């Protein structure tokens, strides 16, 4: 199962987790959940693996 580093919206903590889908599928799923979970508009950024968040994301979603 792929490992992803992600941030659901600016200012939220950067986290790492495993997800069975592609980076874009993961970003889209996070964007759907972000508003309900955190009360903020999503601006999801997903990186493949444990890579540094200074690199361009592998996927994004709103």
């Amino acid at each position: 199962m792929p490992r992803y580093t992600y941030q659901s919206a600016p200012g939220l903590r950067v986290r790492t987790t495993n997800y069975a889908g592609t980076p874009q599928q993961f970003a889209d799923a996070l964007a759907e959940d972000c508003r309900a979970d955190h009360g903020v508009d999503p601006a999801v950024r997903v990186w493949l693996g444990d890579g540094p968040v200074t690199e361009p994301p592998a996927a994004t979603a709103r």
Side-chain angles (χ1 to χ4, degrees):
M1 189 175 306
R3 185 169 182 83
Y4 296 109
T5 299
Y6 67 95
Q7 185 179 37
S8 298
L12 294 182
R13 193 171 129 206
V14 174
R15 298 174 183 262
T16 303
T17 193
N18 294 322
Y19 184 81
T22 67
Q24 191 61 57
Q25 289 170 329
F26 183 47
D28 292 341
L30 285 172
E32 288 179 20
D33 293 341
C34 184
R35 190 171 285 109
D37 290 348
H38 300 290
V40 298
D41 288 327
V44 177
R45 299 184 302 159
V46 172
W47 295 266
L48 188 57
D50 295 327
V53 298
T54 55
E55 293 180 3
T60 60
R62 287 199 173 274

